[in-house]
Amino acid sequence: MALAVLLAAGPVHAQSQATRAAPVPASPSAARTADFIVALVNSEPVTNSEIRRRVQRAAQQLAQRGGPQPTRDQIIAEVMELVITERAQLQHAVDVGVRVSDGDVDEAERAVAAQNQLSREDFRRRLVQDAGTDVAQFRTELRRELTLQRLQEREVISKVTVSEADIDNHLRDQRPASNPNALELNLGHVLVAVPEGASEAQVQALKAKADEAVRRARAGEDIAVLARELSDAPERTRGGTFGMRPASRLPELFVNGVQNLPVGAVAGPLRSPAGFHVLKVVEKRTAGVDATVTQTRARHILLRPSAQLSQAQAIERLNGWRQQMAAGQARFEDLAREHSADGSAAGGGELGWASPGQFVPEFEQAMDALRPGEVSPPVVSRFGVHLIRVDERRQQALSQRDQREAVRNIVREKKATEALELWARDIRARAYVEIREEPQL
């Protein structure tokens, strides 16, 4: 159900949902009903006004998404369950000592304002004048989101681990059994040929030669050197490798011998009618993982808030420089060299080619929204406040290691989501919940 996806509390990683670029909350309905208690969670009340406010927000978000819309009763039921689950988690946060200070809420509020390209004061005016939202209530919701984020990170997300076996299992699950081209390999090959009619003594001597090739390959010797010295196969003249091929174009003996091995591993000796084969996995690509990735080359200017420079002042200063650049009065590179607090300053803010996931989410989200040549508004991250300029983008082939790291992130996200669902269900089950009245909207 789309509503459940929208409302469910999923894993929150490096950045609070509260600090992401988001529109100013919408104005609540002018209609008001007398407030009353609709439920108790461990004797703590849930009020009708809270449910009404959350239902109005959810309905607006669903309308903006488009597509089939749930009924009002469905929205109310989902919101009620979400609020009850959150209330139980917030109570648990108090029990385990998770706290969010006023300073933390201040920082999150400034970040929301910056992402909306407003000063904190202008953002508060917009909340009151345009959205009809009380500033104190908005800060209460920020505190709630930050508390849930920290609690989930501490109790669940930080404990999620991904093993190499988890990655292998995911790759195996993603491999279509009916698709023989799902696995692609580039193998280094040494063949120690066994002639027809060879005696047992000859076979053993040739096997010893193949064993020596295995030993040297596993010790790190170049497969091309071993192939030129020891191999009887025709590819010995081109470095001992076959080149990247679908598994369907390789002997079944070879595929079975290496399909579960990582890049760099050595298999063998494997016996065939031709003789003894020594195989090294030089490259490996598996279905279910993108073989290429979009990389971005960007620059940034970083200002770190301090006792001498508030976050609001940093945002104002960066906005001024952005206007100067737009007017042709200053160059990004020069401003970065003179003012940036990052180690990239000496290179004009140059960050080099970056793959997805290399930067913190709040920075990467802003960078990905830019076209080459564009400069972002000030972006608040855990490191400070940035201006970002994208210079170029390119498609880059992923190494086997990079592919496995991409899968690691996929598996971690999946395991974190599953662990959070179980944890949230357990917290909810341990709470005493009493439904008093149906919400009135």
Side-chain angles (χ1 to χ4, degrees):
M1 180 178 181
L3 177 60
V5 173
L6 176 65
L7 297 178
V12 185
H13 296 290
Q15 179 193 20
S16 167
Q17 299 282 2
T19 62
R20 292 180 184 164
V24 176
S27 173
S29 169
R32 301 290 181 184
T33 60
D35 205 9
F36 55 90
I37 296 173
V38 296
L40 293 175
V41 182
N42 292 327
S43 300
E44 185 178 334
V46 175
T47 64
N48 186 68
S49 62
E50 180 177 5
I51 299 300
R52 183 180 63 241
R53 187 168 54 249
R54 300 283 289 269
V55 167
Q56 288 168 342
R57 185 187 310 153
Q60 184 193 48
Q61 290 173 335
L62 287 164
Q64 290 172 345
R65 284 190 172 193
Q69 298 291 304
T71 66
R72 177 55 64 96
D73 287 344
Q74 288 175 318
I75 297 177
I76 293 172
E78 289 277 0
V79 168
M80 273 285 288
E81 183 57 31
L82 174 65
V83 170
I84 289 169
T85 299
E86 285 184 353
R87 190 63 52 83
Q89 291 182 25
L90 291 169
Q91 292 167 357
H92 181 63
V94 173
D95 293 340
V96 299
V98 173
R99 300 284 187 272
V100 173
S101 69
D102 290 342
D104 295 330
V105 179
D106 290 341
E107 183 178 345
E109 185 184 355
R110 283 192 290 265
V112 174
Q115 299 291 24
N116 283 277
Q117 302 183 41
L118 296 169
S119 69
R120 186 183 182 187
E121 293 71 25
D122 288 341
F123 180 73
R124 285 187 167 190
R125 279 194 291 272
R126 285 277 302 278
L127 283 176
V128 175
Q129 296 172 3
D130 298 347
T133 300
D134 181 72
V135 172
Q137 181 59 45
F138 178 71
R139 285 176 61 82
T140 297
E141 294 182 359
L142 276 183
R143 188 184 300 274
R144 171 179 57 81
E145 291 193 24
L146 290 169
T147 302
L148 290 172
Q149 175 200 10
R150 291 184 181 180
L151 177 67
Q152 292 170 4
E153 178 68 33
R154 169 176 161 171
E155 297 269 301
V156 184
I157 297 170
S158 63
K159 299 175 183 178
V160 172
T161 60
V162 180
S163 67
E164 294 301 313
D166 290 331
I167 296 173
D168 292 336
N169 290 338
H170 179 85
L171 291 171
R172 194 175 299 114
D173 291 344
Q174 293 297 312
R175 189 181 306 152
S178 60
N179 182 4
N181 294 332
L183 180 65
E184 293 186 342
L185 296 163
N186 181 16
L187 301 179
H189 181 218
V190 174
L191 168 63
V192 179
V194 177
E196 279 190 53
S199 67
E200 184 63 26
Q202 288 177 306
V203 171
Q204 291 303 314
L206 293 169
K207 183 177 183 303
K209 181 180 177 182
D211 287 337
E212 177 66 9
V214 170
R215 184 193 66 76
R216 291 169 60 182
R218 287 178 176 161
E221 283 200 45
D222 190 341
I223 195 70
V225 173
L226 293 174
R228 284 194 297 269
E229 180 183 338
L230 303 174
S231 183
D232 299 310
E235 64 274 358
R236 68 181 183 274
T237 59
R238 54 178 188 271
T241 59
F242 295 117
M244 188 63 79
R245 296 183 184 182
S248 60
R249 292 180 53 204
L250 291 167
E252 186 176 353
L253 174 71
F254 292 6
V255 175
N256 291 339
V258 303
Q259 63 181 352
N260 295 323
L261 296 180
V263 170
V266 177
L270 305 176
R271 185 71 160 92
S272 79
F276 294 101
H277 305 267
V278 178
L279 302 171
K280 181 172 183 177
V281 184
V282 178
E283 295 179 85
K284 188 177 184 181
R285 288 200 293 262
T286 313
V289 182
D290 290 336
T292 61
V293 67
T294 300
Q295 291 186 328
T296 302
R297 190 167 68 85
R299 298 175 185 269
H300 81 138
I301 301 170
L302 171 66
L303 296 183
R304 300 185 193 273
S306 64
Q308 293 75 38
L309 181 72
S310 69
Q311 186 176 80
Q313 288 171 328
I315 292 170
E316 182 179 1
R317 188 173 298 178
L318 289 169
N319 269 324
W321 293 340
R322 185 169 182 254
Q323 292 170 4
Q324 291 177 23
M325 286 184 275
Q329 298 169 352
R331 295 176 67 247
F332 194 104
E333 295 85 341
D334 297 337
L335 291 170
R337 289 188 186 95
E338 184 176 354
H339 301 290
S340 182
D342 187 61
S344 62
E350 170 71 54
L351 294 172
W353 288 104
S355 298
Q358 188 168 325
F359 300 126
V360 292
E362 55 269 38
F363 185 98
E364 189 162 295
Q365 181 183 26
M367 181 183 73
D368 289 345
L370 299 172
R371 293 189 296 269
E374 284 188 323
V375 177
S376 73
V379 175
V380 178
S381 82
R382 71 197 69 177
F383 300 111
V385 191
H386 314 254
L387 282 185
I388 307 168
R389 188 184 78 190
V390 168
D391 291 339
E392 294 181 77
R393 286 200 171 92
R394 70 181 182 187
Q395 294 296 311
Q396 184 72 10
L398 283 174
S399 68
Q400 177 66 17
R401 178 179 177 181
D402 290 338
Q403 290 181 53
R404 289 184 69 83
E405 283 304 306
V407 171
R408 188 186 301 279
N409 292 334
I410 293 170
V411 174
R412 180 181 290 110
E413 186 75 20
K414 180 181 178 183
K415 292 179 75 171
T417 299
E418 292 171 351
L420 269 175
E421 288 175 357
L422 291 173
W423 171 82
R425 198 176 302 146
D426 178 64
I427 297 291
R428 169 67 170 85
R430 289 192 273 119
Y432 171 75
V433 177
E434 178 186 341
I435 304 299
R436 286 285 188 86
E437 296 189 46
E438 290 294 321
Q440 301 296 316
L441 306 183

